Amino acid sequence: MPRQTKDESPSAELLNSIDTVQNVDGDARADSASDTVQNIDGDARANAASDSDVQEQVEVVDVASGSPLPGMKLDESVTIPKATIDILKDQVFGFDTFFVTSHEPYEGGILFKGNLRGVPAKSFEKITTRLQNKFGDEYKVFLLINPEDEKPVAVVVPKQTLEPATGAIPEWAAAAVFGVVTIFTLLLRNVPVLQDNLLSTFDNLELLKDGLSGALVTALIVGVHEIGHILAAKDVGVKLAVPYFVPSWQIGSFGAITRIVNIVRNREDLLKVAAAGPVAGFSLGFVLLLLGFILPPSDGLGLVVDPTVFHESFLLGGLAKLILGDALKEGTQLAINPLVLWAWAGLLINAINSIPAGELDGGRIAFAMWGRKISSRLSSVTIGLLGLSSLFSDVAFYWVVLIFFLQRGPIAPLSEEITEPENNYIGIGVAILFLGLLVCLPYPFPFDPSQLTDFDL
């Protein structure tokens, strides 16, 4: 959140002035309580009425000064009148949900500080129901954590200010262009002859057909990943924009960038949507990887590789050592089913998207599990490590640039950010981050035990 500024309007002085007018001398109060209320001096009543008018004018708070919530752009020409604020304080919030102790202008809305009562999810449901009953769809309420003191706050903004902006170019048109380029790079990635000389690609387009099988396998894993997101989003009522597939000449594709269009209800819903893609993609990729190690090549020859390729991934190297056994020796080439490398490319794409940074799947998973503050720090550390890795890897360099310019966040606020997901969903999220780490980290051990020195043992 942006830094809040305390409301220093003259409301308190006006209220004190009214109290002074109403506290007339003791003789008048002694007659009767009723007479005291009704028979106040005419001039005093006039002054109080005048002060009340001034107060009403002062408390029509102008809140047209920018975006009150991280990752959101709001209309800057909206005001919330005092009468609405009073209803929010007295009739929408309450002792049983969120007891308001103070409120202040918060750029595009009003921020309410106070004490959260009961279970956050249930209290938020009561608040939203009351808000709907009083104002219909005019306002939207958020229950968030104040980054300044780590205490719950409620933010109310006019709903009309949350309408998304439309771009000059339709999303589907831009996504189609990215998709065509990604198909090209998927084919190119599976034709080593063209990869060695990229400039010759357009003179030898007929060779791209040799990469069709590998491109289909990798595209299938990436496609299943995106279908996982779509199905989970539909289940929890989250709207997704058209996915933008990101081309990569190194591994074919970096997956897809998919915006969340509407406001997600809570952290568990965000975790379900963010985790569904990697769960689907990792599951299919892992099965295909195992099949590649077990099944003989369809042409009886296979793809001849150097064992050093298996050192690029801890998961890949560990499975290769477990399944291939003594056949896997340093410096000795061996033939494998090309499905191994095709599936590994799909797993790598899933792993890269599971990095806990920005608005990647991993960044959203980290935010859903641990909250905005911890996930933001983790994201900064991750981007920093990627920056160091980019000194040695062109893939890391490409990816850190994409994250920094397109996906670094912040993640848009959820309706209710206080309630943590259930433990079983947190377990799935941790497993995804851990599996992504196993895919990305190198395998450091030699495949031939005889190459271990006495010192290593």
Side-chain angles (χ1 to χ4, degrees), residues 185-186 189-190 195 218 248-255 344-346 348-349 352 395:
T185 55
L186 282 170
R189 188 260 171 190
N190 290 281
Q195 283 233 316
T218 305
S248 165
W249 66 268
Q250 301 101 326
I251 58 175
S253 172
F254 277 138
W344 176 72
L348 182 58
I349 294 170
I352 288 175
V395 174

Side-chain angles (χ1 to χ4, degrees), residues 284-313:
L284 178 59
F286 189 72
V287 170
L288 293 177
L289 182 65
L290 289 178
L291 289 175
F293 276 121
I294 296 171
L295 298 177
S298 58
D299 59 1
L301 298 176
L303 184 66
V304 178
V305 298
D306 190 282
T308 55
V309 70
F310 298 118
H311 282 290
E312 295 183 12
S313 167

Side-chain angles (χ1 to χ4, degrees), residues 231-446:
L231 294 178
K234 184 177 181 180
D235 184 59
V236 298
V238 172
K239 297 179 181 179
L240 301 178
V242 179
Y244 286 76
F245 289 94
V246 182
S248 165
W249 66 268
Q250 301 101 326
I251 58 175
S253 172
F254 277 138
I257 296 175
T258 306
R259 290 190 308 109
I260 295 178
V261 177
N262 64 338
I263 299 172
V264 181
R265 184 175 54 183
N266 52 42
R267 286 160 58 182
E268 186 169 298
D269 284 357
L270 179 64
L271 181 53
K272 289 177 180 178
V273 175
V279 166
F282 276 134
S283 299
L284 178 59
F286 189 72
V287 170
L288 293 177
L289 182 65
L290 289 178
L291 289 175
F293 276 121
I294 296 171
L295 298 177
S298 58
D299 59 1
L301 298 176
L303 184 66
V304 178
V305 298
D306 190 282
T308 55
V309 70
F310 298 118
H311 282 290
E312 295 183 12
S313 167
F314 195 97
L315 178 67
L316 182 64
L319 286 176
K321 179 59 181 175
L322 179 66
I323 297 173
L324 299 179
D326 294 336
L328 190 63
K329 295 181 180 180
E330 306 289 353
T332 303
Q333 292 187 331
L334 74 161
I336 61 171
N337 191 321
L339 183 59
V340 170
L341 297 186
W342 300 340
W344 176 72
L347 285 172
L348 182 58
I349 294 170
N350 276 270
I352 288 175
N353 281 275
S354 300
I355 293 173
E359 293 190 83
L360 300 177
D361 292 337
R364 288 170 175 169
I365 289 171
F367 170 74
M369 293 192 298
W370 300 311
R372 189 175 295 277
K373 183 176 181 179
I374 294 178
S375 64
S376 178
R377 292 176 177 176
L378 180 60
S379 177
S380 298
V381 171
T382 302
I383 293 176
L385 292 175
L386 276 175
L388 292 176
S389 301
S390 67
L391 298 176
F392 312 98
S393 169
D394 56 347
V395 174
F397 175 78
Y398 189 12
W399 196 232
V400 77
V401 169
L402 285 175
I403 293 174
F404 187 80
F405 287 103
L406 299 178
Q407 292 285 88
R408 72 176 184 268
I411 295 174
L414 316 182
S415 292
E416 193 263 286
E417 294 188 3
I418 298 176
T419 303
E420 297 181 354
E422 294 182 4
N423 289 335
N424 56 332
Y425 291 113
I426 292 179
I428 293 174
V430 171
I432 290 172
L433 298 183
F434 182 68
L435 187 56
L437 196 62
L438 290 180
V439 173
C440 292
L441 288 178
Y443 185 82
F445 310 110

